[in-house]
Amino acid sequence: MRTVTIEEITKKFSLEVLSGHDQLHRVLKKTKVRRPGLEFMDKFDFIATEHVQILGKNEINYLHTLSTEESKLRIGNIVQYAPPCIIITSRQEEPLGLIQYCTEEKIPVLRTPDSTSELSAKLDAYVIKAMAPEIAIHGVCINVAGMGILLRGKSGVGKSETAHTLIGRGHRLIADDIVVLKKLSPQTLLGTFDEKNKEFLALRSVGLLNVVRLYGRAAFQEETRIALDLELTEWKKDDLNNELEMETKFVEYMDVKIPHLKIQLQPGRDIAGLIEAAANNWYLKQQGYSAAEEFMKRIESEFEGN
């Protein structure tokens, strides 16, 4: 998990620094911003500490009604929770005592023209991704019809070549060779690239391709939520699965379960088409539809008719 500094979010969201220019190296420790409510009134042990505090119109208007000393007291109640910084939204004027108190306590005060809801959503999303636990795996990540898919298999099995075929069919590359997986929640795994392999696809006998330069921006996507893990394996005649409906198997990455399928390779087999079919079929299952169940209902209906 990498760290995020106040300076990083200041540059990312074009925040104005009102005070604490020498404290922008401070590190965020929590992923969710907070709006002080009860925190204004007193110290509460059950309220989480070390969150970025956002002062919106309600909070600023309240502080403007107070005297300098009373305002400083209320701000002091927020400072007790050790915020890495305080951000004023909607380009509002800072309340009396805020700059002085935060300068004394070495807490940067920032300001943005964004509304509270806009900044909260953007900042939360950015910090959650940046601070998410992550691992790097060998494979290819591609977005097929809006669904994030991991392609895995032994080196040289044809993962990158298959991804190239899928790009030609209108799907999007996320990462080739090294895929960075970020755990956003117990159920959510995000696939993305590292900075070295962004937009690149390596094909044996051809070389390194920049898919954006070759095929345009639509050939590349920066990240995708992982929905399927597909393993490309060597052809084994006696190992093919011909059941009407495959039993769902899973693999785990950082304790997040991802549905797993194996696809056997053989010359002439349309692997890209099978991957498209697997993605679309999985989507239908999530909508509650099963082709196998419908087929069995038709068989039962025919028997009943006879």
Side-chain angles (χ1 to χ4, degrees), residues 7-227:
E7 184 175 17
E8 181 178 339
I9 65 169
T10 298
K11 292 179 179 178
K12 175 68 178 178
F13 300 105
S14 302
L15 303 177
E16 178 188 0
V17 182
L18 300 180
S19 70
H21 292 77
D22 59 341
Q23 297 296 319
L24 300 184
H25 63 276
R26 298 183 66 174
V27 173
L28 302 187
K29 298 182 180 179
K30 299 292 176 69
T31 57
K32 290 285 188 178
V33 302
R34 291 186 64 89
R35 294 183 64 180
L38 292 174
E39 293 97 321
F40 269 144
M41 310 313 296
D42 205 345
K43 175 74 173 177
F44 296 89
D45 294 336
F46 58 85
I47 291 178
T49 62
E50 300 181 329
H51 288 268
V52 172
Q53 295 285 344
I54 290 185
L55 301 183
K57 289 184 177 180
N58 291 340
E59 293 80 15
I60 293 295
N61 288 338
Y62 168 70
L63 291 174
H64 277 311
T65 65
L66 306 176
S67 65
T68 302
E69 289 303 314
E70 184 67 17
S71 177
K72 188 174 180 179
L73 176 64
R74 300 305 179 197
I75 294 165
N77 287 339
I78 303 174
V79 171
Q80 293 181 80
Y81 295 96
C85 67
I86 293 175
I87 304 177
I88 299 173
T89 62
S90 302
R91 203 180 273 113
Q92 299 174 93
E93 182 182 350
E94 66 273 16
L96 295 172
L98 177 67
I99 299 299
Q100 178 187 351
Y101 194 98
C102 289
T103 298
E104 294 171 358
E105 298 298 325
K106 297 182 178 181
I107 297 174
V109 178
L110 314 172
R111 183 162 58 191
T112 176
D114 291 341
S115 69
T116 300
S117 58
E118 289 172 336
L119 181 70
S120 297
K122 292 193 298 187
L123 189 55
D124 280 347
Y126 178 78
V127 175
I128 287 172
K129 285 183 189 177
M131 296 177 63
E134 65 179 48
I135 58 172
I137 66 167
H138 174 66
V140 176
C141 183
I142 194 158
N143 185 284
V144 177
M147 184 177 298
I149 292 179
L150 286 176
L151 297 181
R152 295 187 300 110
K154 294 180 180 178
S155 181
V157 77
K159 300 182 294 295
S160 298
E161 290 81 359
T162 301
H164 182 258
T165 302
L166 287 165
I167 291 169
R169 296 189 182 194
H171 306 295
R172 297 182 174 186
L173 176 71
I174 308 297
D176 179 46
D177 190 38
I178 298 174
V179 180
V180 177
L181 299 177
K182 292 176 173 283
K183 181 181 179 180
L184 301 189
S185 77
Q187 298 82 32
T188 306
L189 200 66
L190 193 73
T192 187
F193 53 85
D194 70 6
E195 288 303 321
K196 296 185 293 294
N197 69 346
K198 181 180 179 181
E199 301 176 358
F200 289 137
L201 182 68
L203 299 180
R204 280 178 170 79
S205 302
V206 176
L208 196 63
L209 308 180
N210 185 309
V211 298
V212 172
R213 294 292 183 93
L214 279 177
Y215 306 117
R217 291 303 312 173
F220 176 76
Q221 185 172 312
E222 294 201 346
E223 59 190 29
T224 187
R225 179 174 177 174
I226 302 300

